[in-house]
Amino acid sequence: MTQTSDLTPNNTEKNIPKVVNAWCSYDWANSVYNLTITATIFPIYFSGSTRAAFDNSNQISFFGLQIENSVLYTYAISFSFLVIVFLSPALSGIADYSGKKKRFMRFFTYTGALACFGLYFFTGENVEWGIFCSVLASIGYAGALVFYNAFLPEIATVDKMDSYSARGYAMGYIGSVILLVINLVIISNYEALGITEGLATRLSFLQVAIWWFGFAHIALHYLQDRPTGHPFNKAVITRGFHELKSVINKLKKQVNTLRFLISFFFYSMGVQTVMLLAPLFGEKEIHMEGTKLIAVVLILQIVAIVGAYTFAAISKKFGNKTGIAIAVVIWMFICVGGYFLQEETQFYMLAVALGFVMGGIQSLSRSTYSKLIPENSVDTASYFSFYDISEKIAIVLGTFSYGFIEQLTGSMRNSMLAMIGFFLVGLIVILFTRLPKTSA
C-alpha cells in the first residue's frame, strides 16, 4: 500500500494560537453533554418520569418487556459504549486513509446534538424514544471524541501537548458547570417562570443540544484535515480497514505504546468507575440528598480545573510517568478513604481530592498518548480509536466489577476498596513503561 505520509506535508505548522484555542473550545462545547445528560439531570429525570408514567413503579415496559428503569438505563449506556468499541476502529481507519477526520467529527457531533434535542420530547411514557435518543447521544459524544483527540498531535508539538490538553479539559469543566448552573436555576424556579417542572427539566436537554451544536463550530471551522489525495468512495472502506491493520502491526512493534495502553486500561477501570458511581455511593452509603449530590458533582468539575493544570506542571518538571504515577497513587488513597468515610463532611473532602486528581489524570493520559504517536503520522484517528476502546471497555468491566462485588458482599464500600487492585496493576505497568521526555 502506498504510504499516505508522503502525500501529507511534514512541515505542517503547529502551536498556532487560534487553532489550539479552537481545538480546546470543543471541550467547552461537548462537556455539557457529559455533565448534564450523563452525570446529573437526565438520569434523575429518567428515573422519576418513568416511575410516574408507570403508576409510581420502577418496573416499566420497554417494547413489552418488563424491566427496572435503572437497569434499563444502565444497559442502554453500556450498549452505546459497545457500539463505539466496534465502530470507531473501522471509521478511524477510513478517516486516516482519506485524511478527513473532521468529516467524521462533524457527523458524530451533529448526531449527538440532534439526539439531545430529541430528549426534549421524552416525557416518561415514551420509554423507547428516551432510550433511543440517550443511546444515540452517547454514541455521538464518544464517537466525536475519537476524531477530536486525534487532532492534538497534529496541532501541537510534544512539549506543548500536556498544557494544551489541560487547557481543553479546563475549558470543558468551566463550560459544563456554567450551563449546569443555568439549568438548575431554571428548574428550581419553574413556577416563577410559569412552566412545569418537567418542561423546565426538558429545556435543559434542549440547551445542551444548542450549546454543543453551536460552540462545536468554532473547532470545526479552524481545525483542518490533512487530505491524502485518496478519493472518498466505496473503495475507501476496504482501504480504511487496511489502514487500521497497518496501525495494529505498528502497535505490535511499539512496546511502550502498548504498555501505556495496558496501564491506561487498568487504571481507567478504577478512574471511570469511581467517577461515575461517586454520587450513587454518596446517596446509598452516606444517605445524601439529591441536591447535595449535584453540589458534589459541581465540586468535582471546579476542582478538576486546578488538577488539570497542576499535573501538567508536574509533568513538565518531572515527566509524564511521574505525573501519572502520582495521580494513580492518590486514586488508591481515595479508594481507601471511601471505604472508611462516614459523614457528609468527609465525603465533601473526598470529593475535592477526587476532582483534583480526576482533572489531572484525564488530561495527562490524553497528552501522554499523543506523544507516543509517531510524529507526522497520518493515522492519528486509528491510534486514538485504540485509546478510546481501552477506556470504553474499562468502563464496562469496571462498573460491572463494582456492581458484582457489591452484590456478593452487600456493600459498595467493599467495591470501592476493590478498585485499588485495578489501580495497582496500572501503576506497576506504567512504572515499566518508557515515556517520551517533556521537551521536544
Side-chain angles (χ1 to χ4, degrees):
M1 184 178 72
T2 303
Q3 286 291 331
T4 54
S5 57
D6 59 3
L7 297 172
T8 305
N10 290 330
N11 60 347
T12 304
E13 190 175 353
K14 298 182 178 183
N15 303 333
I16 302 173
K18 65 179 181 180
V19 176
V20 171
N21 290 333
W23 179 83
C24 292
S25 75
Y26 189 76
D27 263 313
W28 169 282
N30 76 338
S31 292
V32 295
Y33 161 81
N34 211 23
L35 186 57
T36 298
I37 306 295
T38 302
T40 54
I41 296 177
F42 182 72
I44 296 172
Y45 174 76
F46 180 85
S47 178
S49 62
T50 52
R51 187 185 305 115
F54 289 87
D55 301 323
N56 290 319
S57 172
N58 289 323
Q59 284 287 327
I60 63 176
S61 176
F62 181 68
F63 287 113
L65 174 69
Q66 297 299 308
I67 187 172
E68 285 272 337
N69 53 6
S70 59
V71 172
L72 174 62
Y73 182 72
T74 302
Y75 284 166
I77 297 302
S78 295
F79 173 75
S80 68
F81 290 151
L82 290 175
V83 170
I84 289 298
V85 165
F86 287 106
L87 268 185
S88 63
L91 294 180
S92 61
I94 295 171
D96 284 333
Y97 179 75
S98 63
K100 296 180 178 179
K101 289 187 288 293
K102 190 165 74 169
R103 177 176 296 190
F104 288 92
M105 180 177 164
R106 186 189 301 273
F107 170 77
F108 281 106
T109 295
Y110 288 1
T111 299
L114 185 63
C116 290
F117 177 78
L119 288 175
Y120 171 78
F121 301 98
F122 171 58
T123 56
E125 307 88 11
N126 49 346
V127 178
E128 293 81 7
W129 176 254
I131 290 297
F132 171 75
C133 288
S134 60
V135 167
L136 205 60
S138 180
I139 291 173
Y141 172 79
L145 271 183
V146 175
F147 303 99
Y148 162 64
N149 287 335
F151 274 105
L152 179 57
E154 294 185 5
I155 66 168
T157 53
V158 172
D159 59 313
K160 298 292 185 180
M161 288 179 183
D162 292 336
S163 61
Y164 291 164
S165 182
R167 188 189 305 177
Y169 270 107
M171 288 182 67
Y173 295 137
I174 294 170
S176 58
V177 167
I178 290 173
L179 187 60
L180 179 60
V181 170
I182 292 172
N183 288 329
L184 291 177
V185 169
I186 293 173
I187 293 171
S188 300
N189 296 278
Y190 69 91
E191 291 181 335
L193 296 171
I195 58 178
T196 64
E197 185 177 9
L199 177 58
T201 304
R202 289 188 289 117
L203 282 173
S204 67
F205 311 146
L206 184 61
Q207 290 186 92
V208 167
I210 295 171
W211 181 292
W212 187 1
F213 179 84
F215 284 113
H217 283 83
I218 300 174
L220 292 173
H221 174 74
Y222 283 101
L223 293 177
Q224 297 300 319
D225 281 325
R226 301 194 297 181
T228 61
H230 296 132
F232 199 89
N233 52 30
K234 293 181 180 179
V236 81
I237 298 176
T238 303
R239 300 309 294 267
F241 278 104
H242 283 299
E243 200 75 19
L244 180 64
K245 184 179 179 180
S246 173
V247 172
I248 292 174
N249 291 331
K250 292 175 185 176
L251 276 172
K252 290 178 181 178
K253 301 175 184 178
Q254 295 168 7
V255 177
N256 289 301
T257 306
L258 279 176
R259 285 179 180 172
F260 173 79
L261 284 174
I262 293 170
S263 173
F264 174 71
F265 170 74
F266 277 99
Y267 71 66
S268 286
M269 278 200 277
V271 170
Q272 298 297 331
T273 301
V274 174
M275 279 169 45
L276 289 171
L277 299 178
L280 185 60
F281 182 91
E283 188 273 334
K284 193 168 184 178
E285 297 292 338
I286 314 299
H287 309 295
M288 296 179 68
E289 299 173 357
T291 53
K292 292 182 178 179
L293 292 173
I294 291 178
V296 168
V297 174
L298 287 173
I299 290 173
L300 295 181
Q301 300 294 309
I302 295 170
V303 178
I305 300 169
V306 180
Y309 281 112
T310 300
F311 276 90
I314 291 173
S315 173
K316 184 176 182 179
K317 186 170 184 178
F318 300 105
N320 289 58
K321 180 192 292 189
T322 301
I324 292 175
I326 291 173
V328 171
V329 170
I330 295 175
W331 273 103
M332 294 168 71
F333 278 108
I334 287 173
C335 292
V336 174
Y339 180 81
F340 288 105
L341 70 84
Q342 299 290 336
E343 302 173 356
E344 287 187 7
T345 303
Q346 295 173 336
F347 188 79
Y348 281 118
M349 293 172 62
L350 198 69
V352 171
L354 196 158
F356 177 76
V357 77
M358 175 185 78
I361 203 163
Q362 285 185 318
S363 171
L364 206 52
S365 295
R366 178 169 65 182
S367 59
T368 300
Y369 187 66
S370 295
K371 294 178 182 180
L372 290 166
I373 297 175
E375 190 174 359
N376 295 318
S377 171
V378 296
D379 297 321
T380 53
S382 294
Y383 272 101
F384 261 103
S385 71
F386 290 102
Y387 178 87
D388 189 68
I389 286 171
S390 298
E391 186 176 54
K392 295 300 177 290
I393 296 178
I395 292 173
V396 173
L397 295 180
T399 52
F400 174 81
S401 300
Y402 194 96
F404 183 69
I405 293 169
E406 181 191 1
Q407 186 176 10
L408 284 179
T409 65
S411 173
M412 293 181 77
R413 295 178 186 275
N414 295 323
S415 300
M416 182 73 77
L417 197 62
M419 294 297 107
I420 293 176
F422 297 137
F423 285 116
L424 182 61
V425 174
L427 177 63
I428 292 172
V429 176
I430 202 68
L431 291 177
F432 286 92
T433 304
R434 290 187 61 186
L435 298 180
K437 298 295 182 182
T438 303
S439 58

